[in-house]
Structures are given as structure tokens and as C-alpha cells.
Amino acid sequence: SSPNPRPWPTTRSTGTRTTTSSMPGTTSGHYESHTADSYESAYFYSPGEYTYYLRDMVKQVLHLQSSSSLPSSSSTIRRRLIDIGGGTGNFTRMILEDVPNIEGVVIDPFLEAGGSDTRSTGGDMQFVKASAEDFAETASSSNGGEWWKGGYHYILMKEVVHHFPYDARSDIFRGLRSGLATTNQESNVGPSLLIVTRPQIDIDYPLWPAARQVWTANQPSASDIESDLAIAGFQDVQSKIQTYPASIKLDRWLDMVQSRFWSTFANFSDGELEAACDLIQEEAKSKTDGDGVVHFEDRLVFITAR
């Protein structure tokens, strides 16, 4: 997810609706230390080859076709995608910009829905200040009747599911499933839900032993997520690892670590991160070329369901 810690304005520009709901306290410490600019300047979130690759993968998996590739007989049903933890909405916009008859709703508890670069024309992007937990629905209680909790055709959760409380995950999924549009099965060729996350183990990032331990402790396994989706009533649950050959200047990577661009690093003090960077440099020697560029494999888990 892409955080922005500044308070939300009470009004928005014409064509974009903003709704406010409750704020969770789970990951606020990490995200409140960032601005949208500082977070999205990190390698995995700044515009470039990597984000374009990820955009194309998400569109492919969700069968979101651009207008130029759609047959003339295609459905004209207006669809809605909700992006849980979508932050500034920049990635949401990237995947929807050339897809006809669709709108995006960004759900994020830390987002400031402001700035000309996060606004859209024609009302195709809307922002809701809420958490994933606001969707939670138990067997005996519904998740409420707010407009943004229903009527959508696609659910995207990109790099956010590891922040969900373990004991609330299946309830969150259940509430999200109950909000899917009734026409969904007819109008969606592919899955209704896509979770993009990272492996619990077997990662290739330039890290250090203590960080890998924190990562493993905080990152749910794909099988646990799949199990909770099935418990919540989702069908055709599948997962697949997508790999990307990443490369970045080692100095830039170390700067990102010290700025705590991932919540994993929020567990360490400034001094510990400084010492960790020395460990990373030593361990990454075999993966760093003569230009100071470190090469590694980014591994993403794509979990889909209907």
C-alpha cells in the first residue's frame, strides 16, 4: 500500500468523491513517517519499467482490456474496481487509464486525497478513508451499508494483506466477497479478486539475517491466505509466483532501507539500520556489478479467486 500521513481535507474537487470512515492503529507508526513523495520514490513504487510490468500483469490477470483490444460486441456494463490500501491511487489509475466503462475506488486509512496528480476527470476515481477491517463481516453481523462496501466487480489488494490482523483476515475476506456485484459472475471473464503479495520465505532481496526473521514472522504464507479466502466463501482460489529480474544502485537500495520504505524496517533503530547496511554491502558483493548495481529477483505471489 502507498501511505500518505497528512490529514485528509474535508472537501474534494468536483468529480471525485471522498468518504471518511474509521482509522486502524495497526501500521500507522510506519506509514506516518512517510509522505506520498518519499514512499513512491522507492524503487518498487516509482513510475518506471518495474511498475509498468506490474501494471500489465494485474491487467492481464483481471482481464482488464484496453478499449483498443476489445471486440465491438463487448459488454457495456459499467464496472467498479476497489483497491484496498491503494494509497495515492497512482497505481490504480495506471491499471484503469485505458480500460472503458470502469471506475476505481481507492480504500486507504492513511491517504490524503489531494494534489492534482491524484485527481481524475469524469469521476472515474473516488477515495474512501477507511481500513480493510471496515469490511470485516462475521457469520452473525454484516459490514454495514456504506456505498463503497458493495456494487464492485473487482477487488485488488496489492502489498497490503500482510497488514491484516491474522484473526480478522477471513472476516475481512467474507465482507469483501459479500460486496461483489450480483452481475459479477456474468460480466467478469477472469477472477473477481487479486491479491499481490510476497513470499513468506525464499526471498532474494538484499537484506540481513534479522530483517529476514522479521519478514518471515510478519508475512503470511500464500497457503494461509488461500485457506482464509476459501473459509470466506471464495471459489477457484489459486496462487502463482511471478518473478522479475530487478536491479538497482546498491547505494539507492541502502538509502531506501535506512528510510524504512518497507514496514519490515520499522522494527529497527537508526543505529541498527546503519549496521545492517554494512552487512548488506558485504553480503551483496557477489550480486553487485562494477557499476555498483545490485541484481536480485523480485518474487510476487499472485492469489486469485472468484
Side-chain angles (χ1 to χ4, degrees), residues 157-179:
M157 288 177 267
K158 173 180 168 287
E159 301 177 69
V160 69
V161 74
H162 58 284
H163 291 310
F164 296 176
Y166 172 80
D167 56 358
R169 205 162 51 212
S170 60
D171 290 340
I172 292 170
F173 293 160
R174 182 180 294 108
L176 286 167
R177 183 178 179 275
S178 72

Side-chain angles (χ1 to χ4, degrees), residues 219-261:
Q219 178 67 35
S221 70
S223 59
D224 283 349
I225 296 168
E226 291 176 65
S227 175
D228 284 340
L229 286 169
I231 289 169
F234 280 97
Q235 300 178 340
D236 196 20
V237 181
Q238 301 178 35
S239 68
K240 183 178 181 180
I241 299 278
Q242 302 286 353
T243 62
Y244 182 85
S247 59
I248 182 175
K249 284 278 191 181
L250 182 57
D251 285 348
R252 184 183 175 198
W253 176 264
L254 298 178
D255 286 344
M256 286 163 53
V257 169
Q258 289 190 297
S259 70
R260 299 178 175 86
F261 82 100

Side-chain angles (χ1 to χ4, degrees), residues 39-58:
Y39 192 88
E40 296 208 342
S41 65
Y43 173 86
F44 297 105
Y45 312 104
S46 58
E49 188 178 337
Y50 178 87
T51 46
Y52 299 146
Y53 154 80
L54 189 51
R55 171 201 63 189
D56 293 344
M57 287 300 306
V58 168

